[in-house]
Amino acid sequence: MLAGPSEADAMGLNNAMALKLMDAYGRGDLRGGSALTLGTLRMRGVGANRARLRRSSQAAGLSGDLTPFTKPRPEGFLNQLGYDRFHELDVSGYEGADILADLNQPLPERLHNQFDLIVDGGTLEHVFNVPVAFANVLSILKVGGVFSSTNTFSGEPCHGLYQFNPDLVWSFWKRTCNCEVLSCTLLPADPTKKAYEMTDLTGNRRRPSFRQTDFDGLYFLYYEIRKTAESECRAVSYQSDYEVFWGESAAKSRANIADNKSSKTESGSHDSI
């Protein structure tokens, strides 16, 4: 059965993502200024999470006022987090974005280093040219700014062009771009279900092991990274475990070459006696 995009398919800032952003605010990782959303995101209301959202808001040092969750856009919520300037970037103006640009193409220099917070509520999984899109995010984020991303990990087949692996956060954003990873989580859309914190796999020969039953319902890959003064897209990224295998293989090859040279040297010295 085929169907077009529905209201439920619209990109948004859901309750699970809002809870993570409030937690980041409480830790002091969100410092206010200018906020940009990739795509025109919609707030998802409060639903059954009213008490949880209010507790988290107050625990983070916010007012507990949930009025912004009833609004169509996340501007009010981001205002609560200290972002007094709000912009939306989209490839089309049909939903009212104030910045029109295609993330598949390099963004103009006038947008570089302009935003203290960039929020991806499910846009990048729909962008074909992912490396260019990621490079764009880094270029328009200010040094010290935070990029918060939420894209489908499990439970929503046929949704976007891609689904991302947690190792992408560490292999690309940390090792390739030299950004600071603040959070990397397999996040359930239902905040009452178990979330999985994902650690850096650099130097690890084994991938995380899960059962399909570990992901009951819709899960997202949620992460936050901070741009540092040393951050730049310098090269391509490779998956962590493959880098380990390749490194071990290269080390063995170098050792074999050294052994062969040593054997030949010893053989030559014996022949001359």
Side-chain angles (χ1 to χ4, degrees):
M1 178 178 178
L2 300 177
S6 66
E7 180 73 16
D9 292 322
M11 291 172 291
L13 203 157
N14 58 46
N15 289 175
M17 188 177 184
L19 288 165
K20 294 292 284 185
L21 286 169
M22 287 191 285
D23 182 54
Y25 177 86
R27 297 194 310 264
D29 287 329
L30 302 185
R31 303 167 183 174
S34 177
L36 174 77
T37 63
L38 303 182
T40 48
L41 307 185
R42 300 179 187 178
M43 295 301 291
R44 296 304 193 190
V46 174
N49 299 307
R50 181 178 299 277
R52 185 184 297 266
L53 288 165
R54 180 170 285 115
R55 285 196 306 269
S56 294
S57 174
Q58 293 169 341
L62 299 167
S63 66
D65 178 16
L66 302 184
T67 303
F69 287 83
T70 68
K71 306 298 182 182
R73 292 286 211 269
E75 182 174 6
F77 174 66
L78 296 177
N79 285 163
Q80 284 187 334
L81 301 181
Y83 296 92
D84 55 2
R85 283 156 288 155
F86 175 73
H87 301 277
E88 298 166 310
L89 183 151
D90 210 337
V91 71
S92 167
Y94 86 103
E95 289 184 292
D98 61 319
I99 300 175
L100 299 185
D102 185 354
L103 288 170
N104 285 291
Q105 307 296 330
L107 294 178
E109 288 190 12
R110 63 181 175 82
L111 295 177
H112 289 190
N113 302 302
Q114 292 298 308
F115 304 103
D116 299 284
L117 174 68
I118 299 175
V119 179
D120 168 26
T123 293
L124 291 180
E125 63 194 2
H126 300 279
V127 178
F128 176 75
N129 202 339
V130 172
V132 170
F134 283 172
N136 279 330
V137 169
L138 192 63
S139 72
I140 64 178
L141 189 63
K142 290 182 181 178
V143 171
V146 171
F147 173 50
S148 167
S149 178
T150 307
N151 284 273
T152 301
F153 176 76
S154 177
E156 200 170 30
C158 304
H159 176 71
L161 293 174
Y162 304 102
Q163 288 183 316
F164 299 125
N165 187 304
D167 192 40
L168 174 72
V169 180
W170 304 99
S171 62
F172 178 76
W173 290 111
K174 182 182 179 182
R175 295 203 302 272
T176 300
C177 297
N178 206 24
C179 293
E180 178 186 2
V181 178
L182 305 176
S183 176
C184 182
T185 309
L186 297 181
L187 186 68
D190 179 354
T192 66
K193 294 182 178 179
K194 182 178 179 179
Y196 299 90
E197 299 301 322
M198 304 303 295
T199 57
D200 188 357
L201 295 177
T202 301
N204 200 320
R205 302 175 89 257
R206 296 175 63 87
R207 300 173 186 173
S209 178
F210 293 101
R211 299 167 300 176
Q212 190 59 43
T213 53
D214 290 331
F215 302 104
D216 178 22
L218 178 60
Y219 270 74
F220 304 104
L221 171 60
Y222 175 87
Y223 61 88
E224 301 154 1
I225 60 100
R226 175 180 287 125
K227 182 177 178 178
T228 70
E230 293 75 33
S231 295
E232 61 174 332
C233 291
R234 297 185 301 273
V236 297
S237 296
Y238 298 99
Q239 197 165 329
S240 294
D241 57 339
Y242 283 122
E243 286 193 325
V244 174
F245 294 134
W246 294 335
E248 291 174 350
S249 177
K252 289 179 181 177
S253 296
R254 288 193 296 270
N256 289 336
I257 292 171
D259 288 343
N260 290 335
K261 286 183 177 178
S262 176
S263 298
K264 289 180 179 179
T265 301
E266 291 177 2
S267 174
S269 62
H270 292 316
D271 290 342
S272 63
I273 293 175

